[in-house]
Each structure stands twice: as C-alpha cells, then as structure tokens.
Amino acid sequence: MKLFYVLGGGLGHLTRVKRLISTLGIESDFLIFSTAWATKVFPSDQCIIIDTEVVNDKGKLFDYLLHQLIKHAVTDLYIDTFPLGLFKEIDFNLIPKQCRTHYIARYLKWNTYIQKSSFQNVKFDTSYIIDFMNQEQFRFIKSNSNTVHHYQLKPSKVKAGQQNQEQKYYLINHSGSQEEVLQLLELLKKHPGYKQSNLPILINSPKDFSGVIADNVEMIHQYPAHSLFDQAKLIVTGCGYNSMIETLPFFEKHIFTPFERKFDNQFERAKRRNDFVLSNTR
C-alpha cells in the first residue's frame, strides 16, 4: 500500500498530487493522508481524514501518521512539498523500516521552512522534482535521495466546447481570500478585453464570497476548474502551481497576478510565464 502525505492550503496540493499519481501510473492501492478537502479530489474510501484537533498538534499528527502506516501495512510513504511535514513533525527515525520514503518536491522558500530544523537521518528512496528549485533545496534533495527524477506535469486534457458566444463569460478562478478575489476582480475590469464585451463574471472558488459580490457576478464551486477554461473569454488567476499549469494552453486569454505566500514563490512563476508568453508571441 502507498500512502501520500498531503497537507497544505486548500485544493492545490491535492490536485498536484493527483496529477503526479496519474503521471506515475499508480491506479490503485494508495491512500491520501490529508484534511477533509481530500474528498473533493479523491474517492472518500481512499482518504484518511485528519481531525482539526490532530492537525493542530504536531505530536498527535505524527502519532496518527505512524498508526496509519502500521495499520495499512504501508510500503511507500510519499511526502508532498514539505520534506519533514508541514509542521516539521515527521521523525524519520520512527518510520517503520519496511516503509520506503519518497519526496514530491515543489518549490519552497527554503530558508523560511528549515528554520531550526534537523535533517539528521532524513533519506528518501526517490525524490520527484516537479517544479523549479532554489539551489539550497536542490542541494538538500541531491544529498538526501537515492534517486532523483524530474517531471514536468502536464495540463489536464479537456474536450473543446462549442464556441457559442452566448455561453461565454469572464472567469476568476481562485481559492484564496476574499481580499485576493476582489483584487483579481479589479484586475479583470482594468483589462482592455473586459470592456469589449458585456458578459457575466463567474468567480470559481471553494469558498463563498457571494455577500460582497456586485451585480453581474456569480459565485460557483466547480472542481476541477479547468473544465471552465475553454468557454471563458478571459481567465483571471493568481500564480499558484496548478493555476499556471492548467492555464498554459489558454495563455493568450489568461491574465494573472502573483500573491505573497509563506512558502511558495508566485512572483517567480509570474516571471516565468511572462517569459514564455514573450517567446511565443514574437
């Protein structure tokens, strides 16, 4: 049995892990160790849901993880993004010896994450690098992994919809705060393409901001979001990992702005997308 440790904000980490699972050809015999968000992405019988009380207690969280590793005879533990766990709660000395460990490496603000951390006895059988890396994080991966694989995860395949003008809309896709959604709404309204058509605005988010949304704006809760992209006249997002991958086929109608994050670097993602657009529109 394989177990994927997936803790982080919202649906992003889960969506990314789902994409990697598909890329690796893992079709069954795996479990997702996460919060209740997991059931929006994976079948509920494959999800080990962590109670809020447990998530907020490092000791209880690691004890619960150990219990699941033993209970399900886990042979492979995949740790997403945070090599010692989100709260640095994972003690590699206590992981059962028959359980191989693997690291799913997305970019981290490394110096922010590793403060007062000990990496003694941390060793991964395999690390999967799926993002750009800073040098310190890459050196850690090389020094603490038996094997390193690089993967460029691909956008989801979506069947093209009917290009019916009456069905089109402006789409804001974001799982962040109300303040950030309002910033994206202002970004849309300042775009020249917005002024050319009187179309409805859809805000797709797992959260509900309907109490502060203006006329001609509708809140929806569609997952996966990429199924909405084809029919959108403009797509507006932040610069999270999944947003930038899924919008790549639609870069000509994608507008975006980076937001500050504790561990991620959305500004670097924005720069890389701008470089890509320049190289493909000359």
Side-chain angles (χ1 to χ4, degrees):
M1 179 66 71
K2 298 173 176 62
L3 187 146
F4 289 81
Y5 168 107
V6 192
L7 284 180
L11 296 171
H13 290 263
L14 292 155
T15 300
R16 181 173 56 251
V17 166
K18 182 179 182 180
R19 187 175 286 114
L20 179 64
I21 288 172
S22 176
T23 300
L24 296 177
I26 300 172
E27 298 180 355
S28 59
D29 295 328
F30 70 86
L31 297 167
I32 303 297
F33 182 86
S34 188
T35 63
W37 285 104
T39 57
K40 294 182 178 294
V41 182
F42 295 94
S44 58
D45 61 353
Q46 289 184 290
C47 298
I48 300 171
I49 304 303
I50 313 165
D51 291 337
T52 303
E53 178 186 349
V54 174
V55 170
N56 294 325
D57 186 310
K58 287 175 59 174
K60 289 182 179 179
L61 179 58
F62 183 58
D63 287 345
Y64 189 55
L65 174 62
L66 281 179
H67 174 72
Q68 300 302 324
L69 295 178
I70 296 168
K71 176 182 177 181
H72 297 284
V74 172
T75 58
D76 293 270
L77 170 63
Y78 294 78
I79 301 171
D80 172 58
T81 304
F82 307 100
L84 298 180
L86 177 59
F87 306 106
K88 292 177 281 192
E89 75 279 4
I90 297 176
D91 185 344
F92 280 73
N93 293 309
L94 298 179
I95 292 177
K97 295 188 181 301
Q98 75 275 11
C99 183
R100 295 181 293 267
T101 55
H102 311 275
Y103 178 39
I104 303 170
R106 188 213 72 184
Y107 176 91
L108 271 179
K109 290 181 179 175
W110 193 246
N111 290 332
T112 301
Y113 177 71
I114 66 170
Q115 292 179 7
K116 301 179 182 179
S117 299
S118 172
F119 290 104
Q120 187 176 3
N121 296 326
V122 175
K123 196 69 176 180
F124 296 104
D125 185 75
T126 309
S127 284
Y128 301 92
I129 296 178
I130 58 172
D131 202 4
F132 61 89
M133 295 280 110
N134 59 52
Q135 291 184 353
E136 293 83 0
Q137 185 178 5
F138 184 69
R139 280 197 291 266
F140 163 80
I141 293 169
K142 292 287 287 184
S143 298
N144 294 276
S145 306
N146 293 331
T147 305
V148 178
H149 294 299
H150 295 259
Y151 283 93
Q152 185 174 358
L153 301 186
K154 303 296 184 182
S156 302
K157 294 182 179 180
V158 181
K159 184 178 180 180
Q162 297 295 320
Q163 297 299 316
N164 185 335
Q165 186 67 22
E166 294 181 357
Q167 294 179 337
K168 286 204 171 184
Y169 41 77
Y170 300 108
L171 176 66
I172 296 173
N173 189 67
H174 195 58
S175 61
S177 67
Q178 174 181 307
E179 179 183 359
E180 291 177 351
V181 167
L182 292 175
Q183 288 182 48
L184 294 175
L185 184 58
E186 287 303 308
L187 180 65
L188 169 63
K189 291 181 177 180
K190 291 177 181 178
H191 192 275
Y194 173 73
K195 300 171 184 177
Q196 296 171 3
S197 303
N198 184 25
L199 297 174
I201 300 171
L202 302 185
I203 297 179
N204 187 44
S205 173
K207 302 174 183 178
D208 189 355
F209 306 125
S210 55
V212 297
I213 299 304
D215 293 339
N216 202 37
V217 178
E218 179 184 352
M219 282 294 313
I220 60 172
H221 311 287
Q222 172 68 37
Y223 183 87
H226 63 257
S227 60
L228 299 167
F229 292 171
D230 184 63
Q231 288 294 296
K233 182 174 179 62
L234 291 172
I235 305 165
V236 191
T237 73
C239 298
Y241 181 93
N242 295 296
S243 292
M244 300 310 269
I245 285 183
E246 294 289 13
T247 54
L248 190 58
F250 306 95
F251 73 89
E252 293 179 331
K253 61 177 181 178
H254 179 217
I255 55 178
F256 51 85
T257 190
F259 294 108
E260 186 63 44
R261 293 291 184 261
K262 182 176 181 180
F263 293 122
D264 195 11
N265 187 346
Q266 292 200 4
F267 294 88
E268 177 64 21
R269 285 208 178 83
K271 176 183 178 300
R272 288 169 180 251
R273 173 57 61 84
N274 284 327
D275 291 345
F276 172 84
V277 171
L278 284 173
S279 66
N280 282 271
T281 54
R282 288 173 180 169

